Amino acid sequence: MRATDTTGRTGPGGDAAGAGTIAGIRADTIRDLPLTERRLEAAGIPTAVLEGGDGPPVVLLHGPGEFAVLWGRVVPPLTATHRVVVPDLPGHGASGLPGDGPLDAERFLSWLRHLIGQTCPAPPALVGHLAGGALALRHAIDGGPVERVVLVDSTGLAMSRPAVSFAAALAGYLAHPTVRSLDRFVGRCMYDFDGMRRELGPRWDPFADYALAGVRQRGARSAVLAFATAFGMFPLRRRDLARIPVPVSMIWGRHDLQNRLRIAEAAATRFGWPLEVVEDVRDDPCWERPDAAVPALRAALARPLRRHVPA
């Protein structure tokens, strides 16, 4: 990891670097990635971006309450063939909040357009997880620069009706972010949380510490709710989805408690979008099963640039 600037507060997670600080914990999570960090302004929002690799551009958009480094388990192989751009979304990670208006759907869309304009030499593939997928779809519907869209357990395809156990764990974590509530929540996001934590070993603690530190920052929980409200609760109109002019592919965890597999299966039937189902995964294949997610991503990024026409 070659950090260009980790000093100065830019928003949640953005205080001065040093052992035990949020920025110091952040540095622990990204130092082994083949990426360079920089800070830029996108639609007036201070934004932290990780970039690396050469080739066609790919922008990875995380979900509510997440941060860029959660793509880290699929980033190294992707940088071998693509220019990979991984931002912290507004109010998440080390990115700030707008100082001149609400963080609503239009501001997120403006932010994404400006981000692409500053980081991508050509229209990129947009890979979106959860509400990041719905953001990518809206961007494509609105005619923003995009080569293709890859949805990873995305919202925006149906009304949000998560399992009660998932919703309760999420509400508990946001209301009282502690180690215990984080473990309970992540346990609903992962099919085998204990196994994943054993696999990561000492690398797990920096991620957990950074997640807790970030959500405890002033404004962080309101940013999570703003993102989830704008892109995570309600479906996009079917007629708008049907007219997306670029290819759309889907990657889904078999056991997702937040966006059930049947939602993706219905979209595959209705719109003709290819669907890759990852076994032994809930809502985050790229984190829990990178061995399966990377081939699925490569296949989605290599498909011919033909729009899928609904039957």
Side-chain angles (χ1 to χ4, degrees):
M1 165 66 197
R2 304 178 301 282
T4 58
D5 177 17
T6 55
T7 61
R9 184 175 178 82
T10 62
D15 26 24
T21 67
I22 296 175
I25 297 168
R26 174 184 173 84
D28 286 341
T29 69
I30 61 182
R31 66 165 42 96
D32 294 328
L33 295 177
L35 302 172
T36 297
E37 182 174 21
R38 67 165 162 148
R39 307 297 171 96
L40 53 82
E41 292 274 333
I45 298 172
T47 302
V49 183
L50 303 173
E51 301 168 291
D54 292 304
V58 177
V59 178
L60 306 179
L61 301 170
H62 64 71
E66 299 180 342
F67 41 92
V69 185
L70 290 180
W71 291 102
R73 302 190 80 192
V74 300
V75 158
L78 289 183
T79 58
T81 53
H82 290 77
R83 170 175 170 75
V84 180
V85 178
V86 199
D88 284 329
L89 270 78
H92 292 67
S95 291
L97 295 163
D100 58 352
L103 186 56
D104 56 14
E106 293 307 315
R107 196 58 178 270
F108 276 107
L109 288 162
S110 177
W111 169 86
L112 180 55
R113 280 180 176 267
H114 282 79
L115 175 84
I116 290 171
Q118 295 184 62
T119 59
C120 299
L126 294 180
V127 181
H129 182 225
L130 303 176
L135 172 59
L137 289 170
R138 268 291 308 273
H139 174 83
I141 289 167
D142 290 354
V146 57
E147 180 205 56
R148 67 181 76 229
V149 173
V150 183
L151 306 176
V152 183
D153 290 73
S154 177
T155 58
L157 303 180
M159 185 68 70
S160 178
R161 293 187 178 90
V164 173
S165 62
F166 178 92
L170 173 59
Y173 172 55
L174 290 177
H176 303 287
T178 65
V179 171
R180 182 176 180 179
S181 66
L182 174 64
D183 284 355
R184 184 167 179 257
F185 172 55
V186 176
R188 301 302 185 276
C189 298
M190 300 291 155
Y191 183 73
D192 182 9
F193 176 41
D194 291 337
M196 184 212 65
R197 189 159 48 180
R198 285 194 301 271
E199 179 185 345
L200 288 175
R203 291 178 295 163
W204 166 251
D205 286 343
F207 287 104
D209 291 343
Y210 188 58
L212 280 171
V215 79
R216 289 168 176 166
Q217 291 298 294
R218 185 178 64 184
R221 278 172 275 188
S222 64
V224 171
L225 292 174
F227 189 22
T229 299
F231 295 102
M233 297 179 64
F234 303 104
L236 298 167
R237 293 183 300 185
R238 290 182 183 178
R239 63 177 178 270
D240 290 337
L241 294 171
R243 66 179 178 85
I244 291 175
V246 298
V248 179
S249 301
M250 298 180 291
I251 301 169
W252 227 267
R254 167 85 57 192
H255 306 284
D256 191 337
L257 297 177
Q258 186 171 181
N259 302 294
R260 307 302 183 101
L261 177 59
R262 62 176 177 267
I263 294 172
E265 292 172 334
T269 299
R270 182 175 297 119
F271 304 116
W273 297 344
L275 169 63
E276 180 77 21
V277 179
V278 182
E279 303 296 337
D280 300 331
V281 165
R282 284 189 176 163
D283 65 46
D284 196 347
C286 293
W287 177 256
E288 194 167 9
R289 286 284 313 279
D291 60 314
V294 168
L297 284 169
R298 288 197 183 283
L301 294 173
R303 288 194 174 98
L305 286 174
R306 295 194 301 268
R307 177 174 173 263
H308 307 297
V309 179

